[in-house]
Amino acid sequence: MAAAKLITISCVASVFLIFFIKSSNAASYNVITFGAKPDGRTDSTQSFLRAWAVACRSAQASSIVVPKGRYLIKNAVFRGPCKSRITVQISGTIVAPNDYRALGKSDRWILFIEVDRLSIIGGTLDGKGAGFWACRKSGRNCPVGTRSITINSANNVIVSGLTSINSQLSHLVISSCNNVIVRNVKFIAPAESPNTDGIHVESSTGVTITGGTIQTGDDCISVGRGTRNLHMSNIKCGPGHGVSIGSLGKDLNEDGVENVTLTNSVFTGSDNGVRIKSWARPSRSFVRNVFFQNIIMRNVKNPILIDQNYCPNNQGCPNKNSGVKISQVTYRNIQGTSATPKAVAFDCSSSNPCRGIKLQDIKLTYMNKAATSTCKNIGGTISGVIMPRSCL
């Protein structure tokens, strides 16, 4: 028996040693070695792409190192599949061109596509979005605008410690991915900057977002079609438009959203807190099994909101009824202050009323007084202390 234990321990030690040696021997590729200049003026796009090409071909795990400094990057596509795990370790700042037109007609600044086992660690992205926002505000003929970083068709991805400022549009987009972890990120843009969502998730399963500070001109986190098993926690949101599921139901055969959780988060000065939003038009889409818990609202205009009558300019919405079916949504232990008298608003579809809505221990006030709530086409239950008085 002792000999068997000794053999087992020896095998475990050998496996650990092999893993340690392989980890220690991970290949490292410094972008400066490939010609990148940390001066913020020299176009380093091709240098980054050359480093990526070598790392992607490596049979062993590899790291792409971006040292301190500022690196000018234009549109860049980092494409897989790659042979092994890649870590992009950023100590410096990656900057977009000063002239927003230099990014052309693409809607993506930095794109990772079809890359599995990818980690993006640290660093700052500066999207230089002010010129683009000014163009849009002036009504001139502008490019479509770019999202700072997009991760598309990837599996087992980690984004950790990333800061993104002044993205032209969304800061981070996760699309058609599985098993993504986003942690300890900071995404900043002025409150008046249009469509600068912090994180947008769509057509993805198993995304976890934790420990984010998001202050933007649009949704802190937006949840789009085809999102499943999304867990969000410890989010500091505001200014911005809150955490939004939707808008959904623009198309008839649109995939739905299910199994979404937001916990232990704080909203400060945002237009919305937790919002579900759908177009007032026919659709087979749905929202189900959603859980909002342990949330603090500080001077939020619409702390709790379901809006199924979204129809910009009142165009393309026959009968003005949403086909999106909303069910099994729980709001638990949500407290704080509303910036408007109406703290809770459920405006559900008359043709597809909301079902299974649960309110438990809600305490929202307006200017130290009782706030109000409104309900349309909704069914559900309440428990615990409910302020404002429930209209369910």
Side-chain angles (χ1 to χ4, degrees):
M1 179 67 74
K5 286 184 177 180
L6 183 61
I7 291 171
T8 300
I9 292 170
S10 178
C11 289
V12 171
S14 297
V15 170
F16 177 79
L17 181 61
I18 290 169
F19 175 79
F20 177 77
I21 291 171
K22 285 186 175 180
S23 299
S24 300
N25 291 337
S28 180
Y29 304 102
N30 190 317
V31 294
I32 291 179
T33 304
F34 291 83
K37 303 295 183 184
D39 58 13
R41 299 185 304 273
T42 305
D43 185 355
S44 295
T45 309
Q46 294 305 314
S47 301
F48 274 66
L49 292 173
R50 285 193 292 268
W52 175 265
V54 174
C56 191
R57 291 194 299 265
S58 173
Q60 65 184 122
S62 59
S63 296
I64 296 174
V65 177
V66 182
K68 290 182 179 180
R70 295 175 65 81
Y71 301 85
L72 174 63
I73 298 293
K74 296 183 179 178
N75 306 92
V77 178
F78 300 95
R79 185 176 297 276
C82 298
K83 289 186 176 181
S84 191
R85 177 184 302 275
I86 297 180
T87 298
V88 182
Q89 181 70 55
I90 308 172
S91 298
T93 298
I94 298 174
V95 299
N98 287 322
D99 184 351
Y100 61 89
R101 292 168 296 186
L103 295 180
K105 296 181 180 179
S106 173
D107 63 352
R108 294 154 177 166
W109 175 25
I110 297 170
L111 169 64
F112 292 90
I113 184 167
E114 296 180 352
V115 183
D116 295 344
R117 297 177 294 169
L118 169 70
S119 297
I120 301 169
I121 310 298
T124 299
L125 305 178
D126 184 352
K128 299 287 188 73
F132 173 72
W133 308 328
C135 179
R136 291 189 62 180
K137 186 175 181 180
S138 71
R140 301 195 305 268
N141 185 21
C142 308
V144 294
T146 61
R147 292 142 182 86
S148 280
I149 182 168
T150 300
I151 301 171
N152 193 309
S153 303
N155 303 304
N156 304 315
V157 175
I158 296 174
V159 179
S160 180
L162 177 69
T163 296
S164 174
I165 62 174
N166 297 331
S167 177
Q168 288 187 11
L169 296 175
S170 299
H171 291 255
L172 170 62
V173 175
I174 300 167
S175 179
S176 303
C177 294
N178 294 291
N179 302 325
V180 178
I181 296 173
V182 179
R183 62 192 180 209
N184 301 328
V185 296
K186 188 174 184 179
F187 297 155
I188 308 293
E192 65 275 11
S193 59
N195 304 118
T196 52
D197 298 61
I199 304 172
H200 177 70
V201 182
E202 64 180 21
S203 303
S204 296
T205 300
V207 176
T208 298
I209 304 169
T210 183
T213 297
I214 306 175
Q215 303 168 355
T216 70
D218 210 308
D219 295 330
C220 292
I221 301 173
S222 59
V223 183
R225 64 179 74 187
T227 299
R228 288 171 171 80
N229 304 336
L230 169 63
H231 179 77
M232 301 167 283
S233 64
N234 300 106
I235 306 299
K236 296 178 181 178
C237 171
H241 295 178
V243 172
S244 296
I245 299 176
S247 50
L248 299 176
K250 185 177 182 180
D251 300 322
L252 179 63
N253 294 312
E254 184 177 289
D255 200 0
V257 170
E258 61 183 330
N259 304 332
V260 174
T261 300
L262 172 69
T263 64
N264 303 325
S265 296
V266 178
F267 294 77
T268 303
S270 53
D271 286 1
N272 306 296
V274 290
R275 173 172 65 165
I276 301 174
K277 175 180 166 186
S278 72
W279 284 75
R281 58 196 302 172
S283 177
R284 297 188 178 97
S285 189
F286 58 85
V287 177
R288 59 188 178 223
N289 298 331
V290 177
F291 196 62
F292 299 118
Q293 175 176 280
N294 299 340
I295 295 171
I296 296 173
M297 304 286 180
R298 295 173 177 161
N299 202 37
V300 174
K301 292 181 182 177
N302 301 291
I304 297 175
L305 176 64
I306 295 179
D307 176 10
Q308 290 204 263
N309 287 290
Y310 180 64
C311 188
N313 303 317
N314 291 317
Q315 294 181 352
C317 303
N319 302 321
K320 294 186 178 181
N321 275 325
S322 175
V324 177
K325 296 178 176 59
I326 299 176
S327 63
Q328 305 306 317
V329 182
T330 298
Y331 303 87
R332 179 180 295 165
N333 189 28
I334 300 178
Q335 303 185 23
T337 56
S338 174
T340 61
K342 187 190 298 183
V344 178
F346 295 127
D347 187 5
C348 297
S349 168
S350 58
S351 58
N352 292 281
C354 299
R355 292 288 179 254
I357 309 302
K358 300 177 183 179
L359 298 178
Q360 179 180 351
D361 295 326
I362 309 297
K363 186 178 180 181
L364 296 168
T365 60
Y366 169 66
M367 297 183 69
N368 296 318
K369 296 182 292 186
T372 62
S373 64
T374 60
C375 296
K376 292 182 182 178
N377 309 311
I378 187 171
T381 60
I382 63 172
S383 61
V385 175
I386 303 296
M387 295 176 57
R389 181 178 297 177
S390 173
C391 51
L392 281 178

mmCIF file of all heavy atoms in Angstrom, residues 154-196:
data_model
loop_
_atom_site.group_PDB
_atom_site.id
_atom_site.type_symbol
_atom_site.label_atom_id
_atom_site.label_comp_id
_atom_site.label_asym_id
_atom_site.label_seq_id
_atom_site.Cartn_x
_atom_site.Cartn_y
_atom_site.Cartn_z
ATOM 1 N N ALA A 154 -15.563 32.991 -30.471
ATOM 2 C CA ALA A 154 -14.424 32.525 -29.672
ATOM 3 C C ALA A 154 -14.932 31.771 -28.451
ATOM 4 O O ALA A 154 -16.058 31.979 -27.985
ATOM 5 C CB ALA A 154 -13.549 33.699 -29.249
ATOM 6 N N ASN A 155 -14.087 30.889 -27.925
ATOM 7 C CA ASN A 155 -14.434 30.087 -26.757
ATOM 8 C C ASN A 155 -13.338 30.177 -25.710
ATOM 9 O O ASN A 155 -12.156 30.252 -26.040
ATOM 10 C CB ASN A 155 -14.625 28.620 -27.156
ATOM 11 C CG ASN A 155 -15.674 28.446 -28.234
ATOM 12 O OD1 ASN A 155 -16.812 28.865 -28.089
ATOM 13 N ND2 ASN A 155 -15.277 27.834 -29.337
ATOM 14 N N ASN A 156 -13.763 30.144 -24.447
ATOM 15 C CA ASN A 156 -12.814 30.131 -23.323
ATOM 16 C C ASN A 156 -11.883 31.348 -23.361
ATOM 17 O O ASN A 156 -10.673 31.247 -23.561
ATOM 18 C CB ASN A 156 -12.001 28.830 -23.333
ATOM 19 C CG ASN A 156 -12.890 27.602 -23.298
ATOM 20 O OD1 ASN A 156 -13.849 27.549 -22.522
ATOM 21 N ND2 ASN A 156 -12.612 26.625 -24.137
ATOM 22 N N VAL A 157 -12.502 32.498 -23.149
ATOM 23 C CA VAL A 157 -11.809 33.788 -23.251
ATOM 24 C C VAL A 157 -11.819 34.475 -21.885
ATOM 25 O O VAL A 157 -12.809 34.408 -21.147
ATOM 26 C CB VAL A 157 -12.488 34.688 -24.304
ATOM 27 C CG1 VAL A 157 -11.864 36.074 -24.326
ATOM 28 C CG2 VAL A 157 -12.422 34.039 -25.683
ATOM 29 N N ILE A 158 -10.726 35.151 -21.565
ATOM 30 C CA ILE A 158 -10.640 35.974 -20.354
ATOM 31 C C ILE A 158 -10.229 37.390 -20.754
ATOM 32 O O ILE A 158 -9.260 37.570 -21.497
ATOM 33 C CB ILE A 158 -9.619 35.405 -19.354
ATOM 34 C CG1 ILE A 158 -10.056 34.032 -18.848
ATOM 35 C CG2 ILE A 158 -9.425 36.364 -18.179
ATOM 36 C CD1 ILE A 158 -9.022 33.346 -17.975
ATOM 37 N N VAL A 159 -10.977 38.373 -20.265
ATOM 38 C CA VAL A 159 -10.590 39.782 -20.390
ATOM 39 C C VAL A 159 -10.496 40.315 -18.972
ATOM 40 O O VAL A 159 -11.493 40.376 -18.254
ATOM 41 C CB VAL A 159 -11.609 40.591 -21.209
ATOM 42 C CG1 VAL A 159 -11.182 42.057 -21.290
ATOM 43 C CG2 VAL A 159 -11.782 40.002 -22.607
ATOM 44 N N SER A 160 -9.295 40.703 -18.547
ATOM 45 C CA SER A 160 -9.084 41.070 -17.150
ATOM 46 C C SER A 160 -8.264 42.347 -17.034
ATOM 47 O O SER A 160 -7.213 42.488 -17.672
ATOM 48 C CB SER A 160 -8.363 39.925 -16.421
ATOM 49 O OG SER A 160 -8.149 40.246 -15.065
ATOM 50 N N GLY A 161 -8.752 43.278 -16.213
ATOM 51 C CA GLY A 161 -7.981 44.482 -15.914
ATOM 52 C C GLY A 161 -7.857 45.452 -17.064
ATOM 53 O O GLY A 161 -6.984 46.328 -17.040
ATOM 54 N N LEU A 162 -8.714 45.359 -18.054
ATOM 55 C CA LEU A 162 -8.650 46.239 -19.227
ATOM 56 C C LEU A 162 -9.372 47.555 -18.945
ATOM 57 O O LEU A 162 -10.478 47.567 -18.397
ATOM 58 C CB LEU A 162 -9.274 45.547 -20.433
ATOM 59 C CG LEU A 162 -9.344 46.362 -21.726
ATOM 60 C CD1 LEU A 162 -7.949 46.587 -22.308
ATOM 61 C CD2 LEU A 162 -10.238 45.659 -22.761
ATOM 62 N N THR A 163 -8.758 48.660 -19.361
ATOM 63 C CA THR A 163 -9.399 49.972 -19.334
ATOM 64 C C THR A 163 -9.631 50.433 -20.765
ATOM 65 O O THR A 163 -8.750 50.298 -21.612
ATOM 66 C CB THR A 163 -8.517 51.003 -18.604
ATOM 67 O OG1 THR A 163 -8.371 50.613 -17.233
ATOM 68 C CG2 THR A 163 -9.130 52.397 -18.657
ATOM 69 N N SER A 164 -10.828 50.945 -21.035
ATOM 70 C CA SER A 164 -11.134 51.495 -22.352
ATOM 71 C C SER A 164 -11.753 52.870 -22.168
ATOM 72 O O SER A 164 -12.697 53.039 -21.385
ATOM 73 C CB SER A 164 -12.096 50.582 -23.115
ATOM 74 O OG SER A 164 -12.514 51.174 -24.334
ATOM 75 N N ILE A 165 -11.211 53.861 -22.874
ATOM 76 C CA ILE A 165 -11.741 55.216 -22.766
ATOM 77 C C ILE A 165 -12.133 55.725 -24.151
ATOM 78 O O ILE A 165 -11.508 55.411 -25.155
ATOM 79 C CB ILE A 165 -10.730 56.178 -22.103
ATOM 80 C CG1 ILE A 165 -9.453 56.304 -22.930
ATOM 81 C CG2 ILE A 165 -10.417 55.733 -20.685
ATOM 82 C CD1 ILE A 165 -8.480 57.360 -22.406
ATOM 83 N N ASN A 166 -13.201 56.493 -24.182
ATOM 84 C CA ASN A 166 -13.604 57.269 -25.360
ATOM 85 C C ASN A 166 -13.726 56.428 -26.630
ATOM 86 O O ASN A 166 -13.261 56.806 -27.705
ATOM 87 C CB ASN A 166 -12.625 58.428 -25.585
ATOM 88 C CG ASN A 166 -12.652 59.401 -24.430
ATOM 89 O OD1 ASN A 166 -13.672 59.566 -23.760
ATOM 90 N ND2 ASN A 166 -11.523 60.040 -24.168
ATOM 91 N N SER A 167 -14.364 55.282 -26.500
ATOM 92 C CA SER A 167 -14.670 54.474 -27.672
ATOM 93 C C SER A 167 -15.636 55.230 -28.577
ATOM 94 O O SER A 167 -16.544 55.919 -28.105
ATOM 95 C CB SER A 167 -15.296 53.150 -27.237
ATOM 96 O OG SER A 167 -15.666 52.366 -28.328
ATOM 97 N N GLN A 168 -15.460 55.104 -29.897
ATOM 98 C CA GLN A 168 -16.415 55.753 -30.805
ATOM 99 C C GLN A 168 -17.825 55.238 -30.548
ATOM 100 O O GLN A 168 -18.771 56.018 -30.441
ATOM 101 C CB GLN A 168 -16.026 55.491 -32.260
ATOM 102 C CG GLN A 168 -14.804 56.239 -32.729
ATOM 103 C CD GLN A 168 -14.579 56.071 -34.223
ATOM 104 O OE1 GLN A 168 -15.436 55.570 -34.954
ATOM 105 N NE2 GLN A 168 -13.414 56.499 -34.694
ATOM 106 N N LEU A 169 -17.963 53.920 -30.478
ATOM 107 C CA LEU A 169 -19.242 53.290 -30.148
ATOM 108 C C LEU A 169 -19.020 52.384 -28.930
ATOM 109 O O LEU A 169 -18.409 52.830 -27.974
ATOM 110 C CB LEU A 169 -19.780 52.525 -31.363
ATOM 111 C CG LEU A 169 -20.118 53.391 -32.599
ATOM 112 C CD1 LEU A 169 -20.521 52.513 -33.774
ATOM 113 C CD2 LEU A 169 -21.226 54.394 -32.281
ATOM 114 N N SER A 170 -19.500 51.157 -28.951
ATOM 115 C CA SER A 170 -19.341 50.259 -27.805
ATOM 116 C C SER A 170 -17.868 50.014 -27.485
ATOM 117 O O SER A 170 -17.039 49.926 -28.387
ATOM 118 C CB SER A 170 -20.032 48.920 -28.090
ATOM 119 O OG SER A 170 -21.409 49.104 -28.313
ATOM 120 N N HIS A 171 -17.589 49.843 -26.202
ATOM 121 C CA HIS A 171 -16.215 49.573 -25.783
ATOM 122 C C HIS A 171 -15.840 48.119 -26.022
ATOM 123 O O HIS A 171 -14.778 47.832 -26.571
ATOM 124 C CB HIS A 171 -16.052 49.915 -24.299
ATOM 125 C CG HIS A 171 -16.129 51.382 -24.015
ATOM 126 N ND1 HIS A 171 -15.021 52.145 -23.729
ATOM 127 C CD2 HIS A 171 -17.183 52.234 -23.986
ATOM 128 C CE1 HIS A 171 -15.392 53.407 -23.532
ATOM 129 N NE2 HIS A 171 -16.702 53.489 -23.684
ATOM 130 N N LEU A 172 -16.681 47.187 -25.605
ATOM 131 C CA LEU A 172 -16.395 45.762 -25.744
ATOM 132 C C LEU A 172 -17.648 45.054 -26.235
ATOM 133 O O LEU A 172 -18.716 45.180 -25.629
ATOM 134 C CB LEU A 172 -15.957 45.166 -24.398
ATOM 135 C CG LEU A 172 -15.853 43.642 -24.313
ATOM 136 C CD1 LEU A 172 -14.799 43.102 -25.272
ATOM 137 C CD2 LEU A 172 -15.537 43.200 -22.877
ATOM 138 N N VAL A 173 -17.503 44.292 -27.318
ATOM 139 C CA VAL A 173 -18.608 43.494 -27.857
ATOM 140 C C VAL A 173 -18.212 42.026 -27.797
ATOM 141 O O VAL A 173 -17.131 41.638 -28.254
ATOM 142 C CB VAL A 173 -18.938 43.890 -29.308
ATOM 143 C CG1 VAL A 173 -20.000 42.957 -29.890
ATOM 144 C CG2 VAL A 173 -19.418 45.332 -29.371
ATOM 145 N N ILE A 174 -19.101 41.206 -27.236
ATOM 146 C CA ILE A 174 -18.916 39.755 -27.181
ATOM 147 C C ILE A 174 -20.031 39.140 -28.008
ATOM 148 O O ILE A 174 -21.209 39.244 -27.650
ATOM 149 C CB ILE A 174 -18.959 39.253 -25.729
ATOM 150 C CG1 ILE A 174 -17.844 39.904 -24.907
ATOM 151 C CG2 ILE A 174 -18.867 37.734 -25.674
ATOM 152 C CD1 ILE A 174 -17.994 39.704 -23.406
ATOM 153 N N SER A 175 -19.665 38.504 -29.116
ATOM 154 C CA SER A 175 -20.666 38.002 -30.053
ATOM 155 C C SER A 175 -20.341 36.573 -30.468
ATOM 156 O O SER A 175 -19.204 36.264 -30.833
ATOM 157 C CB SER A 175 -20.715 38.906 -31.296
ATOM 158 O OG SER A 175 -21.659 38.427 -32.233
ATOM 159 N N SER A 176 -21.341 35.704 -30.387
ATOM 160 C CA SER A 176 -21.207 34.310 -30.825
ATOM 161 C C SER A 176 -20.056 33.608 -30.109
ATOM 162 O O SER A 176 -19.252 32.906 -30.737
ATOM 163 C CB SER A 176 -21.018 34.245 -32.351
ATOM 164 O OG SER A 176 -22.100 34.871 -33.011
ATOM 165 N N CYS A 177 -19.986 33.784 -28.802
ATOM 166 C CA CYS A 177 -18.905 33.206 -27.998
ATOM 167 C C CYS A 177 -19.465 32.257 -26.940
ATOM 168 O O CYS A 177 -20.652 32.298 -26.602
ATOM 169 C CB CYS A 177 -18.110 34.312 -27.303
ATOM 170 S SG CYS A 177 -17.196 35.391 -28.415
ATOM 171 N N ASN A 178 -18.585 31.417 -26.400
ATOM 172 C CA ASN A 178 -18.921 30.532 -25.289
ATOM 173 C C ASN A 178 -17.845 30.638 -24.214
ATOM 174 O O ASN A 178 -16.654 30.663 -24.514
ATOM 175 C CB ASN A 178 -18.995 29.075 -25.765
ATOM 176 C CG ASN A 178 -20.132 28.839 -26.729
ATOM 177 O OD1 ASN A 178 -21.307 28.882 -26.363
ATOM 178 N ND2 ASN A 178 -19.785 28.583 -27.982
ATOM 179 N N ASN A 179 -18.303 30.709 -22.972
ATOM 180 C CA ASN A 179 -17.393 30.690 -21.815
ATOM 181 C C ASN A 179 -16.406 31.859 -21.850
ATOM 182 O O ASN A 179 -15.223 31.697 -22.126
ATOM 183 C CB ASN A 179 -16.643 29.358 -21.737
ATOM 184 C CG ASN A 179 -17.583 28.162 -21.636
ATOM 185 O OD1 ASN A 179 -18.632 28.254 -21.009
ATOM 186 N ND2 ASN A 179 -17.205 27.063 -22.265
ATOM 187 N N VAL A 180 -16.932 33.024 -21.552
ATOM 188 C CA VAL A 180 -16.128 34.245 -21.512
ATOM 189 C C VAL A 180 -16.185 34.825 -20.104
ATOM 190 O O VAL A 180 -17.259 34.926 -19.511
ATOM 191 C CB VAL A 180 -16.637 35.285 -22.529
ATOM 192 C CG1 VAL A 180 -15.817 36.572 -22.443
ATOM 193 C CG2 VAL A 180 -16.599 34.728 -23.948
ATOM 194 N N ILE A 181 -15.024 35.213 -19.576
ATOM 195 C CA ILE A 181 -14.950 35.882 -18.282
ATOM 196 C C ILE A 181 -14.417 37.293 -18.495
ATOM 197 O O ILE A 181 -13.348 37.475 -19.088
ATOM 198 C CB ILE A 181 -14.023 35.118 -17.314
ATOM 199 C CG1 ILE A 181 -14.593 33.732 -17.008
ATOM 200 C CG2 ILE A 181 -13.829 35.909 -16.019
ATOM 201 C CD1 ILE A 181 -13.667 32.860 -16.190
ATOM 202 N N VAL A 182 -15.169 38.282 -18.027
ATOM 203 C CA VAL A 182 -14.730 39.683 -18.059
ATOM 204 C C VAL A 182 -14.666 40.149 -16.608
ATOM 205 O O VAL A 182 -15.680 40.118 -15.903
ATOM 206 C CB VAL A 182 -15.706 40.562 -18.860
ATOM 207 C CG1 VAL A 182 -15.239 42.011 -18.869
ATOM 208 C CG2 VAL A 182 -15.859 40.041 -20.289
ATOM 209 N N ARG A 183 -13.479 40.570 -16.155
ATOM 210 C CA ARG A 183 -13.379 40.931 -14.746
ATOM 211 C C ARG A 183 -12.504 42.169 -14.557
ATOM 212 O O ARG A 183 -11.539 42.396 -15.274
ATOM 213 C CB ARG A 183 -12.817 39.765 -13.935
ATOM 214 C CG ARG A 183 -11.423 39.331 -14.307
ATOM 215 C CD ARG A 183 -11.048 38.008 -13.663
ATOM 216 N NE ARG A 183 -9.716 37.583 -14.025
ATOM 217 C CZ ARG A 183 -9.330 36.314 -14.098
ATOM 218 N NH1 ARG A 183 -10.186 35.338 -13.822
ATOM 219 N NH2 ARG A 183 -8.088 36.019 -14.432
ATOM 220 N N ASN A 184 -12.921 42.981 -13.587
ATOM 221 C CA ASN A 184 -12.142 44.153 -13.160
ATOM 222 C C ASN A 184 -11.787 45.072 -14.323
ATOM 223 O O ASN A 184 -10.645 45.485 -14.502
ATOM 224 C CB ASN A 184 -10.871 43.699 -12.435
ATOM 225 C CG ASN A 184 -11.183 42.852 -11.220
ATOM 226 O OD1 ASN A 184 -12.203 43.044 -10.557
ATOM 227 N ND2 ASN A 184 -10.323 41.889 -10.925
ATOM 228 N N VAL A 185 -12.797 45.400 -15.129
ATOM 229 C CA VAL A 185 -12.583 46.306 -16.253
ATOM 230 C C VAL A 185 -13.096 47.699 -15.891
ATOM 231 O O VAL A 185 -13.893 47.874 -14.967
ATOM 232 C CB VAL A 185 -13.293 45.806 -17.531
ATOM 233 C CG1 VAL A 185 -12.687 44.487 -17.987
ATOM 234 C CG2 VAL A 185 -14.795 45.668 -17.316
ATOM 235 N N LYS A 186 -12.622 48.679 -16.661
ATOM 236 C CA LYS A 186 -13.050 50.062 -16.464
ATOM 237 C C LYS A 186 -13.270 50.680 -17.827
ATOM 238 O O LYS A 186 -12.340 50.800 -18.622
ATOM 239 C CB LYS A 186 -11.985 50.843 -15.691
ATOM 240 C CG LYS A 186 -12.414 52.242 -15.271
ATOM 241 C CD LYS A 186 -11.348 52.884 -14.384
ATOM 242 C CE LYS A 186 -11.791 54.248 -13.876
ATOM 243 N NZ LYS A 186 -10.770 54.860 -13.002
ATOM 244 N N PHE A 187 -14.526 51.065 -18.119
ATOM 245 C CA PHE A 187 -14.889 51.618 -19.417
ATOM 246 C C PHE A 187 -15.497 53.003 -19.209
ATOM 247 O O PHE A 187 -16.518 53.139 -18.523
ATOM 248 C CB PHE A 187 -15.886 50.706 -20.144
ATOM 249 C CG PHE A 187 -15.320 49.337 -20.474
ATOM 250 C CD1 PHE A 187 -16.158 48.248 -20.633
ATOM 251 C CD2 PHE A 187 -13.961 49.138 -20.631
ATOM 252 C CE1 PHE A 187 -15.658 46.992 -20.951
ATOM 253 C CE2 PHE A 187 -13.439 47.896 -20.940
ATOM 254 C CZ PHE A 187 -14.290 46.816 -21.103
ATOM 255 N N ILE A 188 -14.868 54.019 -19.826
ATOM 256 C CA ILE A 188 -15.227 55.408 -19.547
ATOM 257 C C ILE A 188 -15.455 56.169 -20.842
ATOM 258 O O ILE A 188 -14.642 56.104 -21.773
ATOM 259 C CB ILE A 188 -14.110 56.121 -18.741
ATOM 260 C CG1 ILE A 188 -13.743 55.309 -17.495
ATOM 261 C CG2 ILE A 188 -14.534 57.546 -18.390
ATOM 262 C CD1 ILE A 188 -14.815 55.223 -16.462
ATOM 263 N N ALA A 189 -16.559 56.919 -20.910
ATOM 264 C CA ALA A 189 -16.830 57.873 -21.981
ATOM 265 C C ALA A 189 -17.777 58.926 -21.419
ATOM 266 O O ALA A 189 -18.512 58.662 -20.460
ATOM 267 C CB ALA A 189 -17.440 57.186 -23.199
ATOM 268 N N PRO A 190 -17.789 60.138 -21.990
ATOM 269 C CA PRO A 190 -18.668 61.188 -21.463
ATOM 270 C C PRO A 190 -20.135 60.782 -21.492
ATOM 271 O O PRO A 190 -20.571 60.015 -22.359
ATOM 272 C CB PRO A 190 -18.404 62.367 -22.402
ATOM 273 C CG PRO A 190 -17.048 62.119 -22.966
ATOM 274 C CD PRO A 190 -16.934 60.625 -23.089
ATOM 275 N N ALA A 191 -20.905 61.312 -20.552
ATOM 276 C CA ALA A 191 -22.324 60.966 -20.453
ATOM 277 C C ALA A 191 -23.097 61.317 -21.713
ATOM 278 O O ALA A 191 -24.103 60.678 -22.037
ATOM 279 C CB ALA A 191 -22.936 61.670 -19.239
ATOM 280 N N GLU A 192 -22.630 62.339 -22.448
ATOM 281 C CA GLU A 192 -23.357 62.766 -23.651
ATOM 282 C C GLU A 192 -22.845 62.078 -24.911
ATOM 283 O O GLU A 192 -23.334 62.361 -26.021
ATOM 284 C CB GLU A 192 -23.261 64.281 -23.816
ATOM 285 C CG GLU A 192 -21.861 64.816 -24.068
ATOM 286 C CD GLU A 192 -21.042 65.050 -22.814
ATOM 287 O OE1 GLU A 192 -21.480 64.609 -21.723
ATOM 288 O OE2 GLU A 192 -19.963 65.669 -22.918
ATOM 289 N N SER A 193 -21.889 61.175 -24.812
ATOM 290 C CA SER A 193 -21.370 60.485 -26.001
ATOM 291 C C SER A 193 -22.367 59.424 -26.457
ATOM 292 O O SER A 193 -22.763 58.564 -25.673
ATOM 293 C CB SER A 193 -20.013 59.855 -25.693
ATOM 294 O OG SER A 193 -20.113 58.934 -24.619
ATOM 295 N N PRO A 194 -22.800 59.442 -27.716
ATOM 296 C CA PRO A 194 -23.889 58.559 -28.160
ATOM 297 C C PRO A 194 -23.419 57.128 -28.426
ATOM 298 O O PRO A 194 -22.345 56.898 -28.982
ATOM 299 C CB PRO A 194 -24.366 59.219 -29.455
ATOM 300 C CG PRO A 194 -23.158 59.931 -29.984
ATOM 301 C CD PRO A 194 -22.386 60.386 -28.777
ATOM 302 N N ASN A 195 -24.239 56.168 -27.985
ATOM 303 C CA ASN A 195 -24.054 54.746 -28.336
ATOM 304 C C ASN A 195 -22.728 54.166 -27.851
ATOM 305 O O ASN A 195 -22.197 53.232 -28.460
ATOM 306 C CB ASN A 195 -24.190 54.541 -29.844
ATOM 307 C CG ASN A 195 -25.518 55.042 -30.387
ATOM 308 O OD1 ASN A 195 -25.565 55.939 -31.213
ATOM 309 N ND2 ASN A 195 -26.605 54.473 -29.900
ATOM 310 N N THR A 196 -22.221 54.694 -26.751
ATOM 311 C CA THR A 196 -20.942 54.198 -26.226
ATOM 312 C C THR A 196 -21.187 53.163 -25.128
ATOM 313 O O THR A 196 -20.687 53.295 -24.002
ATOM 314 C CB THR A 196 -20.078 55.349 -25.691
ATOM 315 O OG1 THR A 196 -20.864 56.136 -24.765
ATOM 316 C CG2 THR A 196 -19.584 56.238 -26.813
#
